[in-house]
Amino acid sequence: MSLNANIPQGPLAEKWSKHKFNLKLVNPANKRKYNVIVVGTGLAGASAAASLAELGYNVTAFCFQDSPRRAHSIAAQGGINAAKNYQNDGDSVYRLFYDTIKGGDYRARESNVHRLAENSVNIIDQCVAQGVPFAREYGGLLDNRSFGGAQVSRTFYARGQTGQQLLLGAYSALNRQINLGKVKMYTRHEMLDVVMIDGHAKGIVTRNLITGAIDTHAGHAVLLCTGGYGNVFYLSTNAIGSNVTAAWRAHKRGAYFANPCYTQIHPTCIPVTGDHQSKLTLMSESLRNDGRVWAPKTVGIAKKLRNKEITASQVKEEDRDYFLERKYPSFGNLVPRDVASRNAKEMADEGRGVGTSGFAVYLDFADAISRLGEDTVRAKYGNLFDMYYQITDENPYKQPMRIYPAVHYTMGGLWVDYNLSTNVPGLYALGECNFSDHGANRLGASALMQGLSDGYFVIPYTLGDYLATIGPKAVDKNHPAFAQTKQDVLDNVNKLLSLKGNKTVVEYHRELGHIMWEYCGMARSKEGLTKAKAMIKELKADFWKNAIVVGDNEELNLSLERAGRVADFIELGELMVTDALMRNESCGGHFRIESQTEEGEALRDDDNYAFVAAWEFKGENAEEELHKEELVFENVKLTQRSYK
């Protein structure tokens, strides 16, 4: 079955403008007759809820945190892209479009990516108007810095806390609508299912995380803005609470899950130090503007560093391998994340890794400090350096940071068309929750861009088209589907609470993470993926036999929360491995060992795999069915990606 992405006709640069004109409208007096449910209040959710309420719709918003301010969007550090060409260095909407298509290894839709590039310039204006304190140059103009995968400076930033500042802007807009009564906010509520009536999404079932109360909520449409699923790997840069449950439960109600194996590995993370860790910490990609990545040239020197016989500063310049600068002279340390990550792994695989584990390379600021002065470096990156010091007890002004790749972002997610609608009418997915825009690898500073583009500038138009089609008739909360879906959720909760084995859900989560990282991480093979699939099946069976979940539903129960999320992660992990096994090519962050160039770069197979893989749930323990959305490239030429 081929999927219809509903891409508008016409020239690429005119598609979005013409599409907006052709969409059906809801007149202002009718907007207040519609109820819209928004699940998740990070950048995508908060911006969508605020924008829809501003238009006049009644919005009900949910988050599992105690405040929207705690959404994981707050953790984004380095910046947000926009094609404003403030530096006068040759940037344009088309160049941002091209860099993003190329960075995703030609596995994204041209139409969606160009719309994202178009909207980028409006996002900055919107956020400045909200008071977001972007960095500015001496003359007062907004400053830019460079990020990987581009040869222009287009990344707007607020020191190393860009996500936090952008979220505060969206949160202030959301709060205004809460105060006006147009948004009803439910905190500490987790969505556990979607209510379907006649094939349309008409509501959700939630659990109050404080009291355990299971409730239903009705709406004319449901918007999922629930982030990514990187925590399937257990250790990732995501907040511990980040999960796939909302998207996965929607998937089990019929929404296709697209490209689940597309996982981004971020090259600049603080390395793993032991089994005691529950998450990893990202060091912003912006650090690669001034930091130089290197490893010792020989295994012997690396051993001395690991044994602490010498320090990094004692390694002579001629004994250092600035491997990114050596291999990719055009981009140097600012190659895309997948390229930088894979090369760091190669250093460790060759025995040239540093740190006590050997799974690290250096990110060195000695040259920048010498050239710019410590005060300048501190002004640009001070909070990031402080964070590194607090975690490692090492002073990055005096010695290089140790970094190593870690799971960061997921390019896969619920399949959506050009309107951000899933294949289930009335069910939409925004931000990292959907698969669109990034292909097989996300360029840095584009996650914030996508989340805000979807929330501020796309969904307010496209949702209206659907609502105008169905009309404002109120959703009947007494429809049997609400009671039945609520009972399904209760049955699942009771099933989890009945588990009285001898292994904690955290142990199962850690085991799943080991399997995923080892066999479906940076490098994958047919043999390893086949083994992983069998291991996950065994893990799932063991989970439902030997896991232990303590407590009751009618209370704050972290054990129950985690159990539901881990059960979903296990099922997702199996689908990720299935997807990776099917895609017998290397592209972006998905590196199949069997498919590489003579120089060890990712080798695509455009003849057989230039499509979006969208998977349909076919029932418990049944193999999922693959649907393909063929990718058509009319404006860019498919070439072997090179950053040399």
Side-chain angles (χ1 to χ4, degrees), residues 298-376:
T298 68
V299 173
I301 296 173
K303 284 182 177 178
K304 289 183 178 180
L305 286 164
R306 289 196 293 270
N307 294 332
K308 298 184 179 180
E309 296 173 23
I310 57 174
T311 63
S313 59
Q314 292 175 312
V315 178
K316 297 177 181 178
E317 193 68 17
E318 59 267 25
D319 292 328
R320 302 180 179 194
D321 180 10
Y322 296 93
F323 52 91
L324 295 179
E325 299 172 34
R326 169 174 57 84
K327 295 177 69 174
Y328 309 99
S330 293
F331 284 75
N333 294 298
L334 288 174
V335 293
R337 293 172 175 179
D338 61 319
V339 178
S341 296
R342 197 159 54 247
N343 278 272
K345 181 178 184 294
E346 286 178 10
M347 296 298 107
D349 291 346
E350 292 174 11
R352 293 198 278 148
V354 299
T356 53
S357 66
F359 292 104
V361 294
Y362 288 125
L363 181 61
D364 199 333
F365 286 84
D367 282 1
I369 291 172
S370 175
R371 183 179 73 255
L372 304 171
E374 185 174 317
D375 289 344
T376 301

Side-chain angles (χ1 to χ4, degrees), residues 499-518:
L499 296 175
K500 302 301 178 186
N502 53 20
K503 282 180 66 175
T504 68
V505 292
V506 175
E507 290 178 87
Y508 283 102
H509 196 178
R510 187 181 287 113
E511 286 183 36
L512 174 66
H514 282 310
I515 296 169
M516 297 302 296
W517 178 253
E518 184 68 26

Side-chain angles (χ1 to χ4, degrees), residues 257-567:
F257 212 104
N259 297 338
C261 80
Y262 282 171
T263 305
Q264 181 179 72
I265 313 293
H266 199 294
T268 52
C269 297
I270 298 178
V272 176
T273 56
D275 291 338
H276 64 281
Q277 285 178 282
S278 56
K279 77 176 298 293
L280 298 174
T281 303
L282 169 72
M283 299 307 296
S284 170
E285 181 176 321
S286 64
L287 294 170
R288 287 197 277 146
N289 271 284
D290 290 305
R292 301 179 69 191
V293 180
W294 65 274
K297 279 188 176 178
T298 68
V299 173
I301 296 173
K303 284 182 177 178
K304 289 183 178 180
L305 286 164
R306 289 196 293 270
N307 294 332
K308 298 184 179 180
E309 296 173 23
I310 57 174
T311 63
S313 59
Q314 292 175 312
V315 178
K316 297 177 181 178
E317 193 68 17
E318 59 267 25
D319 292 328
R320 302 180 179 194
D321 180 10
Y322 296 93
F323 52 91
L324 295 179
E325 299 172 34
R326 169 174 57 84
K327 295 177 69 174
Y328 309 99
S330 293
F331 284 75
N333 294 298
L334 288 174
V335 293
R337 293 172 175 179
D338 61 319
V339 178
S341 296
R342 197 159 54 247
N343 278 272
K345 181 178 184 294
E346 286 178 10
M347 296 298 107
D349 291 346
E350 292 174 11
R352 293 198 278 148
V354 299
T356 53
S357 66
F359 292 104
V361 294
Y362 288 125
L363 181 61
D364 199 333
F365 286 84
D367 282 1
I369 291 172
S370 175
R371 183 179 73 255
L372 304 171
E374 185 174 317
D375 289 344
T376 301
V377 172
R378 191 181 298 275
K380 294 173 73 174
Y381 309 113
N383 63 311
L384 297 171
F385 278 46
D386 291 344
M387 183 170 68
Y388 182 86
Y389 175 73
Q390 293 293 332
I391 292 171
T392 65
D393 196 30
E394 297 173 7
N395 185 348
Y397 294 103
K398 303 300 181 185
Q399 60 192 59
M401 291 182 180
R402 289 176 296 105
I403 58 167
Y404 197 67
V407 172
H408 178 55
Y409 186 93
T410 49
M411 286 80 67
L414 293 178
W415 182 88
V416 292
D417 66 7
Y418 189 72
N419 294 323
L420 303 183
S421 172
T422 69
N423 59 294
V424 174
L427 181 66
Y428 292 77
L430 285 66
E432 192 180 357
C433 182
N434 71 34
F435 87 98
S436 72
D437 296 11
H438 306 302
N441 173 60
R442 180 177 70 81
L443 290 184
S446 60
L448 304 181
M449 180 171 58
Q450 187 209 340
L452 293 179
S453 172
D454 288 355
Y456 282 138
F457 299 111
V458 179
I459 201 66
Y461 289 95
T462 60
L463 179 63
D465 184 69
Y466 170 74
L467 295 177
T469 302
I470 65 170
K473 182 181 178 182
V475 179
D476 182 11
K477 271 202 72 171
N478 294 317
H479 191 285
F482 282 91
Q484 182 58 58
T485 309
K486 180 178 179 179
Q487 187 58 51
D488 292 344
V489 168
L490 283 167
D491 291 344
N492 188 58
V493 167
N494 289 330
K495 183 180 178 182
L496 290 166
L497 288 170
S498 70
L499 296 175
K500 302 301 178 186
N502 53 20
K503 282 180 66 175
T504 68
V505 292
V506 175
E507 290 178 87
Y508 283 102
H509 196 178
R510 187 181 287 113
E511 286 183 36
L512 174 66
H514 282 310
I515 296 169
M516 297 302 296
W517 178 253
E518 184 68 26
Y519 300 109
C520 198
M522 275 193 284
R524 311 161 185 187
S525 68
K526 180 179 180 180
E527 180 184 4
L529 290 166
T530 303
K531 180 179 179 181
K533 189 164 183 177
M535 293 173 74
I536 294 173
K537 284 181 180 292
E538 291 177 9
L539 188 70
K540 180 180 178 181
D542 192 67
F543 175 89
W544 289 108
K545 181 180 179 182
N546 294 317
I548 179 171
V549 180
V550 299
D552 299 309
N553 178 55
E554 290 73 25
E555 61 180 350
L556 174 63
N557 190 336
L558 297 179
S559 177
L560 175 61
E561 285 177 43
R562 190 109 189 214
R565 296 169 187 172
V566 172

